[in-house]
Amino acid sequence: MRKKLFRQCYSLQILEKGKQMNLEKYLREQRKWLDKIDDAVKNCKLALFDFDDTLIIHNNHSSFTDPDEHKYNIKVFEGTYNWSNGMANRHMKEMLELLKSQGTQLGLISATFSFKHMQTKQEHIKQIYGVELENYCVGPSNHKVPLLEDLTVAKGLKRNQIIFVDDKGDLISKAANEGFIALSPMQVVNYIEWKDNKGENIFYE
């Protein structure tokens, strides 16, 4: 009975040790990714941010299913639309301020309906975040990555000197495959948390 109990306790110890080793390996991999983002930020010359659910987090997602967008467009053209159902994000603010402090050019790359929509989004970002973003907005969202490619030529930049932040997985995947530094909003959150904690573990206590 004692031998059986000893074997069970020993097996549990081995299992717990294995779990701990897996966790440590996982945390090492996470730190590697955060180090890569940190290097990319330091090397960045141009950073472009999406608007919807990236810089401005929407609360009322049902509004996107409304087939009648005329009310939205009319309010934009009247100058009365203010994205009252959207929230700013502290981590995005810190990211913008960090990039700005090192002289990185900042831009807005949102899929929009008209130039007035672009201007309205720029003004809203300036009001909420206190940062001016240059207009790099497009029509359809699938024009975003080709625009990044054209900017490398126009500005004489390498692809790894451009950061592209967007919530659409297909877009950041395509941008990454083309050699750009593509980040999701949650990667920005993790990176800023890591910076705020001076490189300490941010995943587990």
Side-chain angles (χ1 to χ4, degrees), residues 18-197:
K19 288 181 179 178
Q20 183 64 31
M21 289 175 64
N22 287 336
L23 176 58
E24 290 174 357
K25 181 180 178 181
Y26 169 77
L27 292 177
R28 284 196 301 270
E29 289 300 317
Q30 296 305 304
R31 292 188 187 102
K32 286 180 182 178
W33 279 108
L34 290 166
D35 284 334
K36 287 182 180 179
I37 295 175
D38 195 44
D39 290 339
V41 168
K42 292 174 181 175
N43 186 53
C44 181
K45 301 299 181 185
L46 174 64
L48 302 182
F49 292 78
D50 173 52
F51 185 89
D52 296 292
D53 281 327
T54 298
L55 288 177
I56 299 299
I57 312 302
H58 293 284
N59 295 308
N60 182 14
H61 296 284
S62 64
S63 64
F64 286 96
T65 63
D66 186 351
D68 183 12
E69 293 189 359
H70 294 296
K71 292 181 180 179
Y72 163 64
N73 291 333
I74 290 170
K75 287 184 178 180
V76 168
F77 295 135
E78 289 177 340
T80 59
Y81 195 82
N82 61 1
W83 284 277
S84 59
N85 72 332
M87 294 176 62
N89 178 269
R90 173 181 68 84
H91 302 90
M92 286 295 173
K93 181 176 176 60
E94 289 190 28
M95 185 68 153
L96 289 167
E97 291 174 346
L98 173 61
L99 290 163
K100 182 181 178 181
S101 70
Q102 66 181 33
T104 300
Q105 299 176 55
L106 300 174
L108 178 67
I109 184 167
S110 176
T112 56
F113 181 72
S114 75
F115 183 70
K116 180 64 175 177
H117 289 70
M118 299 175 188
Q119 288 180 315
T120 304
K121 289 184 175 183
Q122 282 179 289
E123 291 167 3
H124 188 68
I125 293 301
K126 183 178 179 180
Q127 180 182 0
I128 298 299
Y129 285 104
V131 177
E132 288 193 41
L133 302 187
E134 194 170 348
N135 183 3
Y136 293 102
C137 293
V138 297
S141 61
N142 61 3
H143 289 178
K144 289 185 178 183
V145 176
L147 177 66
L148 297 179
E149 295 170 346
D150 292 340
L151 284 172
T152 61
V153 179
K155 293 182 174 292
L157 298 176
K158 297 179 180 178
R159 296 189 177 203
N160 64 0
Q161 292 178 313
I162 298 179
I163 288 178
F164 171 62
V165 185
D166 202 290
D167 65 307
K168 303 296 185 184
D170 59 332
L171 292 177
I172 58 176
S173 178
K174 185 175 181 181
N177 288 336
E178 294 296 333
F180 298 100
I181 305 301
L183 302 175
S184 70
M186 282 308 301
Q187 282 182 289
V188 173
V189 169
N190 275 352
Y191 172 67
I192 293 300
E193 283 292 322
W194 178 73
K195 292 283 285 186
D196 289 347
N197 287 277

